[in-house]
Amino acid sequence: MASLEITQTRSAIGGKHKQRETLRTLGLGKIGRTAVYEDSPQVRGMIQVVSHLVKVEEVD
C-alpha cells in the first residue's frame, strides 16, 4: 500500500472550525509541516476537506 506525504501550504486562519480540526488531526497546523500516512479512505476524506490548504504527494 502506498503512503501519502501531506504538506500544509496555506494558513487555516479564516477557515471553518471543521477544517482547522482536520488539520490538527492530520498532525499539521503550521505552514510547511509535513505528515506521512498510509493511503486509506479515512485519510482521503480528511484530505478532501482541506484540499485547498495542503499538497499531497504519493511516496513509495
Side-chain angles (χ1 to χ4, degrees):
M1 187 173 265
S3 295
L4 299 174
E5 185 177 86
I6 307 163
T7 304
Q8 185 173 349
T9 58
R10 297 190 65 197
S11 173
I13 293 175
K16 295 182 180 180
H17 181 71
K18 182 177 180 179
Q19 294 169 348
R20 291 192 306 269
E21 289 299 316
T22 301
L23 286 174
R24 183 177 294 160
T25 302
L26 287 170
L28 305 173
K30 291 187 178 182
I31 296 173
R33 282 201 179 157
T34 300
V36 178
Y37 289 95
E38 290 295 319
D39 193 5
S40 69
Q42 293 83 9
V43 172
R44 290 284 181 169
M46 288 190 280
I47 291 170
Q48 186 175 357
V49 170
V50 293
S51 63
H52 60 291
L53 302 175
V54 298
K55 177 179 73 172
V56 181
E57 297 174 345
E58 191 169 325
V59 181
D60 291 330

